[in-house]
Every structure is written in C-alpha cells, then in structure tokens.
Amino acid sequence: MSILIIMNNYFHDVATAVLFSAAVVMWVLGKQAERGSAPERAALAKFYPTLTKFAWGSLAWIIIGGIPRLIYFNTYDLGALRDDLMPAIAVKHIVEFAAVAAGVVLWRRVKGMIEDNADS
C-alpha cells in the first residue's frame, strides 16, 4: 500500500506540471493568435480541444489523487515531518490555486477568441 500512495503522490505532482504546461502552451498560442494572421488563429483552434482534454484530465487527477494524499499526508509527505515546512506548503497551495484560477480565465478568454473567430 505504501508504494501505491507514494506513486499517487508523484503522479499528483506530474498532473500539476501537465496542467501548468497545457496552460503555458495555450497562453503562447493565444498570444500568437492575437498578433497573427489566420494560420495562427487556426493553430489555436486546432490545438484547443487537445489542450483542454489534457487540462481536464490533469485537474481530475489533481482532485482525485489529492484525496489519498490528504488522508496519508502525515505519513508520507516530508512536510508533515517538519513543522518548519508548513508555511512553505501553504504558500505552494496558494500559488497553485491562483494558477488554476488564472488558467480558468485564460481558457475562457481563448475559447471566446476562437468562437469570435469562427463567427467572422
């Protein structure tokens, strides 16, 4: 069981990185589409569904994988062993929640950009 919990914790961190990476790619494509021509806007529209699937899959894993991580936090996470790391863990979670919120805003903005481009 310990191996499964530790693997879950690693995959939870990987899911966070995948979510962040998908957002960065979406941001770059969005910036290119704003400044670019029809091919750049077409690239954004083409990759939007795939990046969205990666983002939703990552977010699902973060939430689902976060449940056992929270349950076994005191046993398996290094931060639980050292009280001086608790402020750092709190800051990390604040930054992660802010990144997810920014990602939601980004995704909505890009979706609107794609829909506006489809209408014109």
Side-chain angles (χ1 to χ4, degrees), residues 42-109:
L44 176 64
K46 178 181 178 182
F47 291 112
Y48 178 84
T50 302
L51 290 169
T52 300
K53 287 177 187 173
F54 272 101
W56 277 116
S58 297
L59 195 55
W61 186 267
I62 290 167
I63 293 167
I64 294 166
I67 294 169
R69 191 163 196 176
L70 181 62
I71 292 169
Y72 295 104
F73 182 81
N74 289 333
T75 306
Y76 293 98
D77 274 281
L78 177 63
L81 301 176
R82 294 184 42 206
D83 288 336
D84 60 328
L85 288 179
M86 295 310 271
I89 291 170
V91 169
K92 176 186 90 157
H93 282 92
I94 290 168
V95 170
E96 287 173 345
F97 280 113
V100 169
V104 168
V105 170
L106 168 71
W107 242 263
R108 291 178 62 133
R109 193 176 121 248

Side-chain angles (χ1 to χ4, degrees), residues 2-22:
S2 294
I3 292 172
L4 292 176
I5 297 298
I6 292 167
M7 287 176 60
N8 173 72
N9 291 353
Y10 288 134
F11 288 134
H12 185 264
D13 293 341
V14 169
T16 302
V18 169
L19 180 61
F20 180 72
S21 299

Side-chain angles (χ1 to χ4, degrees), residues 31-46:
K31 287 296 179 190
Q32 289 176 346
E34 282 178 344
R35 293 188 301 253
S37 60
E40 284 85 1
R41 290 188 296 276
L44 176 64
K46 178 181 178 182

